[in-house]
Amino acid sequence: MPLVSVIIPAYNAETTVQETIESVLGQSLQDFELIIVNDGSTDRTLQVIESIADPRIKVLSYPNAGAAVSRNRGFAHATGEFVAFLDADDLWTPEKLEAQWKALQENPNAQVAYSWTDVIDQSGQWLGQGDYTVANGNVYAKLLLCCFIVSGSNTLIRREAYVAVGGFDESLTASQDFDLYLRLAARYQFVAVTAAHVLYRFSSNSMCTNIRRMEETSLAVRERAFNQAPEPLSLSLKQHSIANFYKCALFRIMNEPLSRKRGLEIAWLLWNAINYDPTLMRKRIVLKIVLNILIITVLPSKYAKFILSKVRGLSNPRPLLGYVRIDLEGL
């Protein structure tokens, strides 16, 4: 029986899945099985997977059903004491599994270990640092404020904990990772590994860039979590939680290619962020975002891009992440 079951759901991932698999095979902790679920891919994903020879790899193929279903399908074949999920375009550093496994051994009351995340682009080039939040023990309230674990490619989970919470919610079309982490945090302790072991690939085609779908599912997950919280939570915490969703969504969408439609989406997200956190009106970053909106929506795209590239700091929304961290530290 392997120590860890690694599960990769893959849909039309021919350009990235080989590198993702290699990042698992290169782990310093080698006692694992790798279960790859081909989710009805129509490109060469399956051929790429099958070209990699390793006895620890098990390949399953099903009709397309989405990431949540694929992860649960993979887990149904898993035998490891621990389970880790990895999206087919993300990467792990070689120490990821070993560092998280050691953290759980050193913290026997914890059921989930997570690491920090850095961001890469489509070609694998480093774009920047992700959220480096450190939260140990009962992280439920902090996780409600902001999903600082960032992606579904991060955690190492004890098998019994994953089974106890029922795995991924297959009714959700997005935010499945956030939902799973909240249900785990409602019952179990977490432990942070203070190193960046996950490389999250940022893409304009990724699920989290579909802002309206993310908005619908993320707010629904938050509503359910507040209603089912293990202890009463304040209305203020809920307001901050929703505001932080809109702030994080602003950061993501402002790093995408410019267009008038994008400018209108930015305006919508900013309006909602201010609605739930009026203190934003006192932040200088809001003026920068408003100028972004005006430039993007009024000027032709080539002129808008030129202006934003020339005005120092105007197109950089990164300070928004600072507001999220301040809210977390204020608990």
PDB file of all heavy atoms in Angstrom, residues 232-262:
ATOM      1  N   PRO A 232     -21.120  30.278  16.089  1.00  0.00           N
ATOM      2  CA  PRO A 232     -21.660  31.499  15.474  1.00  0.00           C
ATOM      3  C   PRO A 232     -20.559  32.446  14.999  1.00  0.00           C
ATOM      4  O   PRO A 232     -19.564  32.646  15.676  1.00  0.00           O
ATOM      5  CB  PRO A 232     -22.487  32.128  16.614  1.00  0.00           C
ATOM      6  CG  PRO A 232     -22.812  30.986  17.525  1.00  0.00           C
ATOM      7  CD  PRO A 232     -21.625  30.061  17.453  1.00  0.00           C
ATOM      8  N   LEU A 233     -20.769  33.003  13.801  1.00  0.00           N
ATOM      9  CA  LEU A 233     -19.814  33.940  13.229  1.00  0.00           C
ATOM     10  C   LEU A 233     -20.493  35.281  13.011  1.00  0.00           C
ATOM     11  O   LEU A 233     -21.690  35.341  12.729  1.00  0.00           O
ATOM     12  CB  LEU A 233     -19.278  33.406  11.898  1.00  0.00           C
ATOM     13  CG  LEU A 233     -18.519  32.075  11.973  1.00  0.00           C
ATOM     14  CD1 LEU A 233     -18.212  31.563  10.577  1.00  0.00           C
ATOM     15  CD2 LEU A 233     -17.235  32.219  12.769  1.00  0.00           C
ATOM     16  N   SER A 234     -19.742  36.357  13.116  1.00  0.00           N
ATOM     17  CA  SER A 234     -20.312  37.700  13.053  1.00  0.00           C
ATOM     18  C   SER A 234     -20.689  38.084  11.631  1.00  0.00           C
ATOM     19  O   SER A 234     -20.115  37.592  10.655  1.00  0.00           O
ATOM     20  CB  SER A 234     -19.328  38.722  13.617  1.00  0.00           C
ATOM     21  OG  SER A 234     -18.213  38.857  12.758  1.00  0.00           O
ATOM     22  N   LEU A 235     -21.658  38.993  11.514  1.00  0.00           N
ATOM     23  CA  LEU A 235     -22.040  39.539  10.217  1.00  0.00           C
ATOM     24  C   LEU A 235     -20.870  40.292   9.606  1.00  0.00           C
ATOM     25  O   LEU A 235     -20.673  40.278   8.383  1.00  0.00           O
ATOM     26  CB  LEU A 235     -23.243  40.473  10.376  1.00  0.00           C
ATOM     27  CG  LEU A 235     -23.730  41.165   9.101  1.00  0.00           C
ATOM     28  CD1 LEU A 235     -24.168  40.135   8.061  1.00  0.00           C
ATOM     29  CD2 LEU A 235     -24.879  42.128   9.427  1.00  0.00           C
ATOM     30  N   SER A 236     -20.062  40.937  10.453  1.00  0.00           N
ATOM     31  CA  SER A 236     -18.893  41.674   9.962  1.00  0.00           C
ATOM     32  C   SER A 236     -17.926  40.738   9.252  1.00  0.00           C
ATOM     33  O   SER A 236     -17.362  41.088   8.209  1.00  0.00           O
ATOM     34  CB  SER A 236     -18.193  42.370  11.134  1.00  0.00           C
ATOM     35  OG  SER A 236     -16.985  42.965  10.712  1.00  0.00           O
ATOM     36  N   LEU A 237     -17.722  39.551   9.797  1.00  0.00           N
ATOM     37  CA  LEU A 237     -16.834  38.573   9.167  1.00  0.00           C
ATOM     38  C   LEU A 237     -17.369  38.182   7.797  1.00  0.00           C
ATOM     39  O   LEU A 237     -16.608  38.058   6.827  1.00  0.00           O
ATOM     40  CB  LEU A 237     -16.700  37.335  10.051  1.00  0.00           C
ATOM     41  CG  LEU A 237     -15.747  36.256   9.542  1.00  0.00           C
ATOM     42  CD1 LEU A 237     -14.309  36.726   9.634  1.00  0.00           C
ATOM     43  CD2 LEU A 237     -15.935  34.958  10.320  1.00  0.00           C
ATOM     44  N   LYS A 238     -18.678  38.024   7.699  1.00  0.00           N
ATOM     45  CA  LYS A 238     -19.292  37.673   6.417  1.00  0.00           C
ATOM     46  C   LYS A 238     -19.097  38.785   5.401  1.00  0.00           C
ATOM     47  O   LYS A 238     -18.776  38.522   4.228  1.00  0.00           O
ATOM     48  CB  LYS A 238     -20.777  37.385   6.621  1.00  0.00           C
ATOM     49  CG  LYS A 238     -21.486  36.886   5.375  1.00  0.00           C
ATOM     50  CD  LYS A 238     -22.931  36.512   5.685  1.00  0.00           C
ATOM     51  CE  LYS A 238     -23.626  35.943   4.466  1.00  0.00           C
ATOM     52  NZ  LYS A 238     -25.027  35.554   4.775  1.00  0.00           N
ATOM     53  N   GLN A 239     -19.271  40.037   5.822  1.00  0.00           N
ATOM     54  CA  GLN A 239     -19.078  41.170   4.920  1.00  0.00           C
ATOM     55  C   GLN A 239     -17.642  41.216   4.406  1.00  0.00           C
ATOM     56  O   GLN A 239     -17.394  41.427   3.214  1.00  0.00           O
ATOM     57  CB  GLN A 239     -19.409  42.476   5.649  1.00  0.00           C
ATOM     58  CG  GLN A 239     -20.863  42.619   6.076  1.00  0.00           C
ATOM     59  CD  GLN A 239     -21.783  42.890   4.899  1.00  0.00           C
ATOM     60  OE1 GLN A 239     -22.520  42.008   4.458  1.00  0.00           O
ATOM     61  NE2 GLN A 239     -21.736  44.096   4.401  1.00  0.00           N
ATOM     62  N   HIS A 240     -16.690  41.007   5.318  1.00  0.00           N
ATOM     63  CA  HIS A 240     -15.280  41.019   4.919  1.00  0.00           C
ATOM     64  C   HIS A 240     -14.977  39.858   3.979  1.00  0.00           C
ATOM     65  O   HIS A 240     -14.194  39.993   3.032  1.00  0.00           O
ATOM     66  CB  HIS A 240     -14.384  40.942   6.154  1.00  0.00           C
ATOM     67  CG  HIS A 240     -14.170  42.255   6.830  1.00  0.00           C
ATOM     68  ND1 HIS A 240     -13.529  43.312   6.214  1.00  0.00           N
ATOM     69  CD2 HIS A 240     -14.507  42.695   8.062  1.00  0.00           C
ATOM     70  CE1 HIS A 240     -13.475  44.343   7.047  1.00  0.00           C
ATOM     71  NE2 HIS A 240     -14.072  43.990   8.169  1.00  0.00           N
ATOM     72  N   SER A 241     -15.585  38.709   4.236  1.00  0.00           N
ATOM     73  CA  SER A 241     -15.367  37.534   3.391  1.00  0.00           C
ATOM     74  C   SER A 241     -15.799  37.809   1.956  1.00  0.00           C
ATOM     75  O   SER A 241     -15.057  37.532   1.005  1.00  0.00           O
ATOM     76  CB  SER A 241     -16.137  36.338   3.949  1.00  0.00           C
ATOM     77  OG  SER A 241     -16.058  35.229   3.078  1.00  0.00           O
ATOM     78  N   ILE A 242     -16.984  38.369   1.798  1.00  0.00           N
ATOM     79  CA  ILE A 242     -17.492  38.652   0.453  1.00  0.00           C
ATOM     80  C   ILE A 242     -16.672  39.762  -0.209  1.00  0.00           C
ATOM     81  O   ILE A 242     -16.336  39.681  -1.401  1.00  0.00           O
ATOM     82  CB  ILE A 242     -18.984  39.036   0.516  1.00  0.00           C
ATOM     83  CG1 ILE A 242     -19.806  37.846   1.053  1.00  0.00           C
ATOM     84  CG2 ILE A 242     -19.502  39.453  -0.864  1.00  0.00           C
ATOM     85  CD1 ILE A 242     -21.263  38.163   1.303  1.00  0.00           C
ATOM     86  N   ALA A 243     -16.314  40.780   0.562  1.00  0.00           N
ATOM     87  CA  ALA A 243     -15.487  41.858   0.015  1.00  0.00           C
ATOM     88  C   ALA A 243     -14.155  41.315  -0.492  1.00  0.00           C
ATOM     89  O   ALA A 243     -13.667  41.700  -1.561  1.00  0.00           O
ATOM     90  CB  ALA A 243     -15.257  42.932   1.077  1.00  0.00           C
ATOM     91  N   ASN A 244     -13.566  40.398   0.262  1.00  0.00           N
ATOM     92  CA  ASN A 244     -12.275  39.840  -0.141  1.00  0.00           C
ATOM     93  C   ASN A 244     -12.382  39.023  -1.417  1.00  0.00           C
ATOM     94  O   ASN A 244     -11.433  38.967  -2.212  1.00  0.00           O
ATOM     95  CB  ASN A 244     -11.681  39.003   0.984  1.00  0.00           C
ATOM     96  CG  ASN A 244     -11.014  39.854   2.043  1.00  0.00           C
ATOM     97  OD1 ASN A 244     -10.726  41.022   1.811  1.00  0.00           O
ATOM     98  ND2 ASN A 244     -10.774  39.285   3.204  1.00  0.00           N
ATOM     99  N   PHE A 245     -13.529  38.375  -1.626  1.00  0.00           N
ATOM    100  CA  PHE A 245     -13.703  37.668  -2.891  1.00  0.00           C
ATOM    101  C   PHE A 245     -13.601  38.655  -4.050  1.00  0.00           C
ATOM    102  O   PHE A 245     -12.899  38.397  -5.041  1.00  0.00           O
ATOM    103  CB  PHE A 245     -15.058  36.960  -2.963  1.00  0.00           C
ATOM    104  CG  PHE A 245     -15.417  36.580  -4.374  1.00  0.00           C
ATOM    105  CD1 PHE A 245     -14.828  35.496  -4.988  1.00  0.00           C
ATOM    106  CD2 PHE A 245     -16.305  37.362  -5.120  1.00  0.00           C
ATOM    107  CE1 PHE A 245     -15.107  35.175  -6.311  1.00  0.00           C
ATOM    108  CE2 PHE A 245     -16.594  37.044  -6.441  1.00  0.00           C
ATOM    109  CZ  PHE A 245     -15.995  35.943  -7.039  1.00  0.00           C
ATOM    110  N   TYR A 246     -14.291  39.786  -3.939  1.00  0.00           N
ATOM    111  CA  TYR A 246     -14.284  40.761  -5.033  1.00  0.00           C
ATOM    112  C   TYR A 246     -12.897  41.394  -5.205  1.00  0.00           C
ATOM    113  O   TYR A 246     -12.470  41.676  -6.332  1.00  0.00           O
ATOM    114  CB  TYR A 246     -15.350  41.826  -4.802  1.00  0.00           C
ATOM    115  CG  TYR A 246     -16.746  41.310  -5.060  1.00  0.00           C
ATOM    116  CD1 TYR A 246     -17.652  41.113  -4.028  1.00  0.00           C
ATOM    117  CD2 TYR A 246     -17.162  40.996  -6.349  1.00  0.00           C
ATOM    118  CE1 TYR A 246     -18.930  40.628  -4.265  1.00  0.00           C
ATOM    119  CE2 TYR A 246     -18.439  40.505  -6.601  1.00  0.00           C
ATOM    120  CZ  TYR A 246     -19.317  40.326  -5.550  1.00  0.00           C
ATOM    121  OH  TYR A 246     -20.578  39.831  -5.801  1.00  0.00           O
ATOM    122  N   LYS A 247     -12.168  41.602  -4.103  1.00  0.00           N
ATOM    123  CA  LYS A 247     -10.814  42.139  -4.212  1.00  0.00           C
ATOM    124  C   LYS A 247      -9.901  41.159  -4.953  1.00  0.00           C
ATOM    125  O   LYS A 247      -9.134  41.558  -5.837  1.00  0.00           O
ATOM    126  CB  LYS A 247     -10.252  42.434  -2.821  1.00  0.00           C
ATOM    127  CG  LYS A 247     -10.969  43.530  -2.049  1.00  0.00           C
ATOM    128  CD  LYS A 247     -10.410  43.611  -0.642  1.00  0.00           C
ATOM    129  CE  LYS A 247     -11.286  44.441   0.274  1.00  0.00           C
ATOM    130  NZ  LYS A 247     -10.808  44.428   1.669  1.00  0.00           N
ATOM    131  N   CYS A 248      -9.958  39.891  -4.573  1.00  0.00           N
ATOM    132  CA  CYS A 248      -9.117  38.890  -5.235  1.00  0.00           C
ATOM    133  C   CYS A 248      -9.501  38.738  -6.705  1.00  0.00           C
ATOM    134  O   CYS A 248      -8.634  38.578  -7.573  1.00  0.00           O
ATOM    135  CB  CYS A 248      -9.242  37.548  -4.510  1.00  0.00           C
ATOM    136  SG  CYS A 248      -8.480  37.534  -2.878  1.00  0.00           S
ATOM    137  N   ALA A 249     -10.808  38.795  -6.987  1.00  0.00           N
ATOM    138  CA  ALA A 249     -11.264  38.703  -8.376  1.00  0.00           C
ATOM    139  C   ALA A 249     -10.756  39.890  -9.181  1.00  0.00           C
ATOM    140  O   ALA A 249     -10.379  39.744 -10.352  1.00  0.00           O
ATOM    141  CB  ALA A 249     -12.789  38.638  -8.418  1.00  0.00           C
ATOM    142  N   LEU A 250     -10.717  41.066  -8.570  1.00  0.00           N
ATOM    143  CA  LEU A 250     -10.171  42.249  -9.237  1.00  0.00           C
ATOM    144  C   LEU A 250      -8.712  42.029  -9.625  1.00  0.00           C
ATOM    145  O   LEU A 250      -8.291  42.347 -10.742  1.00  0.00           O
ATOM    146  CB  LEU A 250     -10.273  43.464  -8.309  1.00  0.00           C
ATOM    147  CG  LEU A 250     -11.524  44.323  -8.396  1.00  0.00           C
ATOM    148  CD1 LEU A 250     -11.568  45.296  -7.232  1.00  0.00           C
ATOM    149  CD2 LEU A 250     -11.588  45.069  -9.713  1.00  0.00           C
ATOM    150  N   PHE A 251      -7.929  41.493  -8.691  1.00  0.00           N
ATOM    151  CA  PHE A 251      -6.519  41.244  -8.975  1.00  0.00           C
ATOM    152  C   PHE A 251      -6.368  40.313 -10.168  1.00  0.00           C
ATOM    153  O   PHE A 251      -5.560  40.549 -11.061  1.00  0.00           O
ATOM    154  CB  PHE A 251      -5.841  40.643  -7.745  1.00  0.00           C
ATOM    155  CG  PHE A 251      -4.477  40.091  -8.031  1.00  0.00           C
ATOM    156  CD1 PHE A 251      -3.397  40.930  -8.243  1.00  0.00           C
ATOM    157  CD2 PHE A 251      -4.277  38.720  -8.098  1.00  0.00           C
ATOM    158  CE1 PHE A 251      -2.142  40.415  -8.522  1.00  0.00           C
ATOM    159  CE2 PHE A 251      -3.028  38.201  -8.371  1.00  0.00           C
ATOM    160  CZ  PHE A 251      -1.955  39.050  -8.583  1.00  0.00           C
ATOM    161  N   ARG A 252      -7.152  39.245 -10.181  1.00  0.00           N
ATOM    162  CA  ARG A 252      -7.031  38.264 -11.268  1.00  0.00           C
ATOM    163  C   ARG A 252      -7.391  38.871 -12.614  1.00  0.00           C
ATOM    164  O   ARG A 252      -6.684  38.715 -13.609  1.00  0.00           O
ATOM    165  CB  ARG A 252      -7.931  37.063 -10.977  1.00  0.00           C
ATOM    166  CG  ARG A 252      -7.427  36.179  -9.852  1.00  0.00           C
ATOM    167  CD  ARG A 252      -8.465  35.169  -9.454  1.00  0.00           C
ATOM    168  NE  ARG A 252      -7.939  34.241  -8.466  1.00  0.00           N
ATOM    169  CZ  ARG A 252      -8.684  33.554  -7.629  1.00  0.00           C
ATOM    170  NH1 ARG A 252      -9.998  33.686  -7.663  1.00  0.00           N
ATOM    171  NH2 ARG A 252      -8.144  32.722  -6.760  1.00  0.00           N
ATOM    172  N   ILE A 253      -8.508  39.576 -12.657  1.00  0.00           N
ATOM    173  CA  ILE A 253      -9.008  40.044 -13.943  1.00  0.00           C
ATOM    174  C   ILE A 253      -8.172  41.204 -14.480  1.00  0.00           C
ATOM    175  O   ILE A 253      -8.055  41.380 -15.691  1.00  0.00           O
ATOM    176  CB  ILE A 253     -10.495  40.441 -13.825  1.00  0.00           C
ATOM    177  CG1 ILE A 253     -11.149  40.426 -15.200  1.00  0.00           C
ATOM    178  CG2 ILE A 253     -10.669  41.790 -13.166  1.00  0.00           C
ATOM    179  CD1 ILE A 253     -12.661  40.562 -15.144  1.00  0.00           C
ATOM    180  N   MET A 254      -7.532  41.971 -13.594  1.00  0.00           N
ATOM    181  CA  MET A 254      -6.718  43.095 -14.061  1.00  0.00           C
ATOM    182  C   MET A 254      -5.380  42.650 -14.624  1.00  0.00           C
ATOM    183  O   MET A 254      -4.640  43.451 -15.188  1.00  0.00           O
ATOM    184  CB  MET A 254      -6.531  44.113 -12.931  1.00  0.00           C
ATOM    185  CG  MET A 254      -7.814  44.866 -12.609  1.00  0.00           C
ATOM    186  SD  MET A 254      -7.604  46.112 -11.333  1.00  0.00           S
ATOM    187  CE  MET A 254      -6.698  47.355 -12.250  1.00  0.00           C
ATOM    188  N   ASN A 255      -5.055  41.385 -14.481  1.00  0.00           N
ATOM    189  CA  ASN A 255      -3.840  40.851 -15.082  1.00  0.00           C
ATOM    190  C   ASN A 255      -4.114  40.148 -16.408  1.00  0.00           C
ATOM    191  O   ASN A 255      -3.227  39.505 -16.967  1.00  0.00           O
ATOM    192  CB  ASN A 255      -3.151  39.884 -14.113  1.00  0.00           C
ATOM    193  CG  ASN A 255      -2.355  40.613 -13.054  1.00  0.00           C
ATOM    194  OD1 ASN A 255      -1.234  41.018 -13.281  1.00  0.00           O
ATOM    195  ND2 ASN A 255      -2.971  40.807 -11.899  1.00  0.00           N
ATOM    196  N   GLU A 256      -5.331  40.273 -16.919  1.00  0.00           N
ATOM    197  CA  GLU A 256      -5.706  39.657 -18.181  1.00  0.00           C
ATOM    198  C   GLU A 256      -5.627  40.676 -19.320  1.00  0.00           C
ATOM    199  O   GLU A 256      -5.528  41.877 -19.084  1.00  0.00           O
ATOM    200  CB  GLU A 256      -7.121  39.075 -18.074  1.00  0.00           C
ATOM    201  CG  GLU A 256      -7.217  37.911 -17.102  1.00  0.00           C
ATOM    202  CD  GLU A 256      -8.582  37.278 -17.102  1.00  0.00           C
ATOM    203  OE1 GLU A 256      -9.370  37.552 -18.020  1.00  0.00           O
ATOM    204  OE2 GLU A 256      -8.860  36.503 -16.187  1.00  0.00           O
ATOM    205  N   PRO A 257      -5.685  40.204 -20.572  1.00  0.00           N
ATOM    206  CA  PRO A 257      -5.622  41.116 -21.715  1.00  0.00           C
ATOM    207  C   PRO A 257      -6.716  42.186 -21.668  1.00  0.00           C
ATOM    208  O   PRO A 257      -7.849  41.924 -21.239  1.00  0.00           O
ATOM    209  CB  PRO A 257      -5.817  40.179 -22.921  1.00  0.00           C
ATOM    210  CG  PRO A 257      -5.339  38.857 -22.440  1.00  0.00           C
ATOM    211  CD  PRO A 257      -5.719  38.786 -20.985  1.00  0.00           C
ATOM    212  N   LEU A 258      -6.385  43.381 -22.113  1.00  0.00           N
ATOM    213  CA  LEU A 258      -7.311  44.505 -22.051  1.00  0.00           C
ATOM    214  C   LEU A 258      -8.426  44.376 -23.089  1.00  0.00           C
ATOM    215  O   LEU A 258      -8.215  43.911 -24.200  1.00  0.00           O
ATOM    216  CB  LEU A 258      -6.556  45.810 -22.300  1.00  0.00           C
ATOM    217  CG  LEU A 258      -5.409  46.146 -21.345  1.00  0.00           C
ATOM    218  CD1 LEU A 258      -4.770  47.448 -21.773  1.00  0.00           C
ATOM    219  CD2 LEU A 258      -5.904  46.220 -19.919  1.00  0.00           C
ATOM    220  N   SER A 259      -9.612  44.811 -22.706  1.00  0.00           N
ATOM    221  CA  SER A 259     -10.741  44.929 -23.627  1.00  0.00           C
ATOM    222  C   SER A 259     -11.806  45.766 -22.935  1.00  0.00           C
ATOM    223  O   SER A 259     -11.801  45.920 -21.707  1.00  0.00           O
ATOM    224  CB  SER A 259     -11.308  43.553 -23.995  1.00  0.00           C
ATOM    225  OG  SER A 259     -11.940  42.958 -22.877  1.00  0.00           O
ATOM    226  N   ARG A 260     -12.728  46.315 -23.732  1.00  0.00           N
ATOM    227  CA  ARG A 260     -13.802  47.111 -23.139  1.00  0.00           C
ATOM    228  C   ARG A 260     -14.659  46.254 -22.221  1.00  0.00           C
ATOM    229  O   ARG A 260     -15.068  46.680 -21.136  1.00  0.00           O
ATOM    230  CB  ARG A 260     -14.668  47.729 -24.236  1.00  0.00           C
ATOM    231  CG  ARG A 260     -15.724  48.682 -23.684  1.00  0.00           C
ATOM    232  CD  ARG A 260     -16.487  49.388 -24.786  1.00  0.00           C
ATOM    233  NE  ARG A 260     -17.406  50.355 -24.219  1.00  0.00           N
ATOM    234  CZ  ARG A 260     -18.636  50.049 -23.800  1.00  0.00           C
ATOM    235  NH1 ARG A 260     -19.067  48.788 -23.884  1.00  0.00           N
ATOM    236  NH2 ARG A 260     -19.423  50.979 -23.282  1.00  0.00           N
ATOM    237  N   LYS A 261     -14.939  45.031 -22.655  1.00  0.00           N
ATOM    238  CA  LYS A 261     -15.721  44.125 -21.812  1.00  0.00           C
ATOM    239  C   LYS A 261     -15.016  43.885 -20.480  1.00  0.00           C
ATOM    240  O   LYS A 261     -15.644  43.860 -19.422  1.00  0.00           O
ATOM    241  CB  LYS A 261     -15.942  42.794 -22.539  1.00  0.00           C
ATOM    242  CG  LYS A 261     -16.723  41.773 -21.725  1.00  0.00           C
ATOM    243  CD  LYS A 261     -16.871  40.457 -22.477  1.00  0.00           C
ATOM    244  CE  LYS A 261     -17.611  39.428 -21.633  1.00  0.00           C
ATOM    245  NZ  LYS A 261     -17.708  38.115 -22.337  1.00  0.00           N
ATOM    246  N   ARG A 262     -13.698  43.719 -20.544  1.00  0.00           N
ATOM    247  CA  ARG A 262     -12.928  43.508 -19.319  1.00  0.00           C
ATOM    248  C   ARG A 262     -13.032  44.717 -18.406  1.00  0.00           C
ATOM    249  O   ARG A 262     -13.147  44.595 -17.182  1.00  0.00           O
ATOM    250  CB  ARG A 262     -11.468  43.244 -19.678  1.00  0.00           C
ATOM    251  CG  ARG A 262     -10.645  42.688 -18.534  1.00  0.00           C
ATOM    252  CD  ARG A 262     -11.018  41.250 -18.227  1.00  0.00           C
ATOM    253  NE  ARG A 262     -10.538  40.356 -19.253  1.00  0.00           N
ATOM    254  CZ  ARG A 262     -11.142  39.226 -19.604  1.00  0.00           C
ATOM    255  NH1 ARG A 262     -12.250  38.867 -19.008  1.00  0.00           N
ATOM    256  NH2 ARG A 262     -10.654  38.442 -20.537  1.00  0.00           N
TER     257      ARG A 262
END
